[in-house]
């Protein structure tokens, strides 16, 4: 999940539901000769291999601890190469990633908090992962898509931040959800942009020790809960715009790979399941369905660009994904005025049974989506 981290309590409460996503998706024991076995416990992170060849790697993760955990492959500067979150106690997960020669760390985060328990690994070899022309085409097209979303987002953010800076609460409320759509669509690769995500999209319960709360959700709270825009909030408006302008510039150099596209799409569906469906993401504005739809669009864009590759290797998987995306999109259409608008029902008006229906549809999509990276790299 991007910078929006679940609290330990929330993670424990949703672990059973997420087992359907992370557990059922990982039927293989991942014990092939090339797999790196990662055993995550509450107080340790055991890694079977610490020297690996460059190319596509597979991590076979087992959570033998009592807490929901996350496992990351990290660059030395903490940028994320690959990740899998919300791995419940007693469950397994498989991570497929493309990795170049260099020094990295594998981090386990019991309770999904803090710096994590880390193991250094070395990846050697002059050859990067072998890519087909179709893979390069998918990455190039996705980068173009992300750049377009960033370019279109900045003017919308300016409308929002100008309203905040002017102290115009109603205008800021009106512009808030619209300013987030492009960002939410590109979240499959949000971790590729370094420290932008925790600056612009973190919730109060996702803050690390000593981290100042900035970004959309800090202003969301001021608008809907505090119902006031003081000097501090007005000063945060240009900071948000500046951070997102930085994001716009980083798209061209972000490390995007076919596996990061596939893994990011799956992780984004997990975030929808644990943040949007629960109503925690937009807890003050209740505009969760706007984020929800944008997330699904972003995940689907990644999938559609990778589909020509995946369909050659696993036609049954892509047929299932086509069906599941269509079902979820049809369900979301129930909550907006017309199929081309982002005028969604306030999430506080979505009842418990309807939320469960949305959750079931997300989980039904997330399970086969977890297999996309492996299908792309066969």
């Amino acid at each position: 999940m991007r910078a929006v981290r679940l609290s330990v309590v929330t993670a424990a409460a949703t672990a059973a539901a997420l087992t359907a996503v992370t557990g059922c998706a990982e039927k293989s024991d991942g014990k092939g000769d090339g797999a790196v076995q990662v055993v995550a416990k509450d107080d340790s992170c055991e890694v079977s291999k610490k020297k690996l060849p460059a190319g596509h790697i597979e991590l076979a993760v087992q959570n033998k601890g009592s807490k929901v955990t996350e496992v990351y492959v990290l660059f030395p500067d903490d940028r994320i190469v690959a990740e899998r979150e919300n791995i419940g106690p007693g469950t397994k997960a498989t991570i497929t990633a493309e990795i170049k020669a260099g020094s990295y760390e594998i981090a386990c985060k019991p309770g999904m908090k803090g710096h994590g328990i880390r193991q250094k690994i070395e990846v050697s070899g002059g050859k990067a992962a072998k890519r087909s022309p179709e893979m390069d085409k998918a990455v190039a097209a996705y980068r173009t898509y992300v750049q377009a979303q960033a370019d279109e987002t900045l003017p919308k953010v300016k409308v929002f931040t100008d309203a905040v800076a002017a102290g115009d609460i109603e205008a800021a409320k009106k512009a808030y959800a619209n300013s987030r759509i492009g960002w939410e669509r590109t979240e499959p690769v949000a971790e590729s942009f370094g420290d932008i995500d925790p600056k612009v999209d973190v919730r109060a319960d996702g803050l690390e020790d000593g981290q100042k709360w900035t970004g959309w959700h800090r202003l969301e709270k001021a608008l809907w809960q505090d119902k006031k825009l003081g000097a501090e909030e007005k000063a945060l408006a240009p900071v948000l715009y500046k951070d997102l302008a930085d994001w716009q510039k980083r798209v061209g150099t972000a490390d995007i790979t076919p596996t990061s596209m596939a893994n990011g799409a799956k992780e984004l569906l997990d975030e929808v399941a644990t943040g949007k469906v629960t109503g925690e993401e937009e807890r003050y504005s209740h505009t969760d369905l706007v984020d929800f739809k944008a997330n699904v669009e972003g995940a689907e864009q990644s999938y559609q660009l990778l589909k020509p590759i995946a369909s050659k290797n696993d036609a049954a998987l892509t047929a299932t994904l086509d069906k599941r995306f269509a079902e979820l999109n049809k369900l979301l259409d129930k909550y907006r005025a017309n199929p081309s608008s982002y005028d969604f029902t306030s999430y506080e008006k979505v009842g418990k049974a309807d939320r469960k229906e949305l959750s079931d549809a997300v989980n039904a999509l997330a399970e086969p989506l977890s297999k996309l990276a492996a299908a792309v790299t066969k």
Side-chain angles (χ1 to χ4, degrees):
M1 185 186 321
R2 313 297 135 213
V4 184
R5 304 294 178 193
L6 289 176
S7 67
V8 176
V9 174
T10 301
T14 59
L18 288 168
T19 299
V21 178
T22 52
C24 293
E26 319 302 346
K27 295 179 181 178
S28 169
D29 288 334
K31 294 182 179 179
D33 292 339
V36 179
Q37 305 297 316
V38 179
V39 178
K41 300 179 181 178
D42 293 346
D43 57 0
S44 65
C45 184
E46 301 168 7
V47 178
S48 65
K49 300 177 184 179
K50 296 184 179 179
K51 293 186 177 181
L52 306 170
H56 289 116
I57 66 167
E58 180 180 297
L59 304 184
V61 181
Q62 297 182 67
N63 183 1
K64 292 188 175 181
S66 63
K67 303 175 182 178
V68 177
T69 196
E70 303 170 339
V71 173
Y72 294 83
V73 181
L74 300 168
F75 287 107
D77 61 0
D78 271 9
R79 284 180 300 123
I80 294 173
V81 180
E83 63 179 316
R84 180 59 57 88
E85 302 177 348
N86 299 304
I87 306 171
T91 66
K92 299 178 181 180
T94 300
I95 306 171
T96 302
E98 179 179 318
I99 192 165
K100 302 174 184 177
S103 299
Y104 301 86
E105 290 184 328
I106 293 177
C108 303
K109 290 190 178 183
M112 304 198 298
K113 283 283 189 179
H115 184 70
I117 304 165
R118 302 192 175 200
Q119 297 283 359
K120 295 183 182 296
I121 62 170
E122 292 293 328
V123 178
S124 60
K127 294 183 179 180
K130 185 177 180 180
R131 281 195 202 168
S132 66
E134 291 82 5
M135 287 184 177
D136 286 336
K137 181 180 178 181
V139 170
Y142 189 71
R143 191 183 300 278
T144 298
Y145 170 77
V146 174
Q147 188 67 66
Q149 294 303 313
D151 293 346
E152 292 170 12
T153 294
L154 262 293
K156 297 175 182 178
V157 171
K158 189 69 162 55
V159 173
F160 172 64
T161 55
D162 281 356
V164 172
D168 190 336
I169 291 177
E170 291 309 312
K173 283 183 175 182
K174 185 177 179 180
Y176 172 76
N178 192 47
S179 75
R180 290 176 49 75
I181 292 171
W183 172 263
E184 293 291 326
R185 284 174 175 160
T186 63
E187 279 204 304
V189 290
E191 304 292 7
S192 301
F193 307 121
D195 61 352
I196 299 297
D197 192 34
K199 289 180 179 179
V200 304
D201 201 28
V202 70
R203 299 192 313 244
D205 53 356
L207 294 170
E208 300 291 350
D209 292 341
Q211 180 183 351
K212 182 180 179 180
W213 191 13
T214 61
W216 271 299
H217 295 302
R218 170 67 181 84
L219 297 174
E220 178 203 5
K221 178 178 181 293
L223 290 167
W224 274 274
Q225 178 169 293
D226 302 338
K227 296 179 171 45
K228 63 180 181 179
L229 293 171
E232 180 180 352
E233 290 77 22
K234 291 177 182 179
L236 287 175
V239 174
L240 173 61
Y241 183 83
K242 180 181 178 181
D243 288 338
L244 288 167
D246 189 10
W247 161 58
Q248 181 190 33
K249 294 176 183 177
R250 294 190 193 189
V251 172
T253 58
D255 190 14
I256 299 173
T257 67
T259 54
S260 72
M261 289 167 60
N263 289 329
K266 195 275 178 186
E267 288 298 322
L268 192 50
L269 264 292
D270 282 355
E271 181 179 339
V272 170
T274 57
K276 277 71 174 183
V277 171
T278 61
E280 292 186 55
E281 175 79 358
E282 304 290 356
R283 61 189 65 174
Y284 311 110
S285 64
H286 305 298
T287 56
D288 302 86
L289 286 173
V290 175
D291 291 1
F292 193 143
K293 178 61 177 177
N295 285 165
V296 173
E297 288 176 338
E300 189 168 13
Q301 181 70 18
S302 291
Y303 163 62
Q304 289 295 341
L305 292 172
L306 295 170
K307 180 181 172 180
I309 306 162
S311 61
K312 293 178 182 178
N313 300 326
D314 195 338
L317 175 64
T318 56
T320 298
L321 286 170
D322 285 343
K323 181 180 179 181
R324 296 288 184 257
F325 269 114
E327 290 170 345
L328 182 53
N329 281 314
K330 183 178 179 180
L331 186 58
L332 283 169
D333 283 345
K334 290 171 49 178
Y335 298 98
R336 57 179 175 173
N338 64 71
S340 62
S341 80
Y342 265 78
D343 184 16
F344 281 89
T345 301
S346 174
Y347 204 59
E348 62 185 339
K349 297 180 181 178
V350 179
K352 185 176 180 180
D354 290 330
R355 292 189 185 198
K356 183 180 185 304
E357 184 181 30
L358 286 165
S359 177
D360 289 346
V362 169
N363 289 343
L365 171 57
E367 191 277 324
L369 196 58
S370 69
K371 302 174 183 178
L372 180 59
V376 168
T377 58
K378 279 184 180 179

